[in-house]
Structures are given as C-alpha cells and as structure tokens.
Amino acid sequence: MLYMVIERFKEGVAPEIYRRFREKGRMMPDGLGYVSSWIDHDLKRCWQLMTTDDPALFDRWIDNWRDLVDFEVVPVRTSAEVVELMKDR
C-alpha cells in the first residue's frame, strides 16, 4: 500500500536532519519502503512516497526522527487505481 508522508521540520533543524541522514541513513525498519521524496525550497517540509503492508512500522521509523520532525502519514492511491475504482460508478 502507498503512503504520502508529510514531514514538517521543526524550526532551524534542517542541517541536523541531513547530518543524521548522512550518518545513519533513513533508519527505516524492514518492511517499510522508500519510493521518492520532494523538499520545499524553504527546507521546512518534505513529502515522501513510501510503501508498506504494515502501517505500524511507521511508528518505529518516526521514533527515530520525532525530535526533529512532525509527521503526517496519509494512505494514498495512484490516479490509475482511482480511475479503475470509479469506472463502474
């Protein structure tokens, strides 16, 4: 299943986020997959597309970053999936 993770960086912590990332990587548990991400120009928000069959894994991953980032995890579908879902309606 696909998830859009919206990260809101706490004030002034972008350098620390990327320092930790360089040193430790994403620190994601097995079963949580990274697809792609986008960061705004102000270095205040990041959107990550991720996959998992076990949404409880997000809690373990978020625990590694919650001191620097506030998270919102949203289940999403691709446009193609929604087109298929809506074809008989």
Side-chain angles (χ1 to χ4, degrees), residues 24-51:
K24 298 181 179 186
R26 293 191 193 288
M27 299 186 291
M28 295 185 331
D30 289 339
L32 187 59
Y34 167 83
V35 177
S36 189
S37 60
W38 304 266
I39 297 92
D40 72 356
H41 285 236
D42 295 329
L43 302 174
K44 292 184 178 186
R45 287 176 298 180
C46 175
W47 297 267
Q48 292 196 55
L49 189 60
M50 301 176 82
T51 62

Side-chain angles (χ1 to χ4, degrees), residues 56-81:
L57 294 175
F58 281 109
D59 291 332
R60 290 179 38 207
W61 173 63
I62 288 170
D63 281 343
N64 295 316
W65 296 97
R66 74 173 63 252
D67 60 320
L68 301 173
V69 179
D70 293 317
F71 291 87
E72 180 181 356
V73 179
V74 181
V76 295
R77 293 184 171 112
T78 66
S79 295
E81 288 173 321

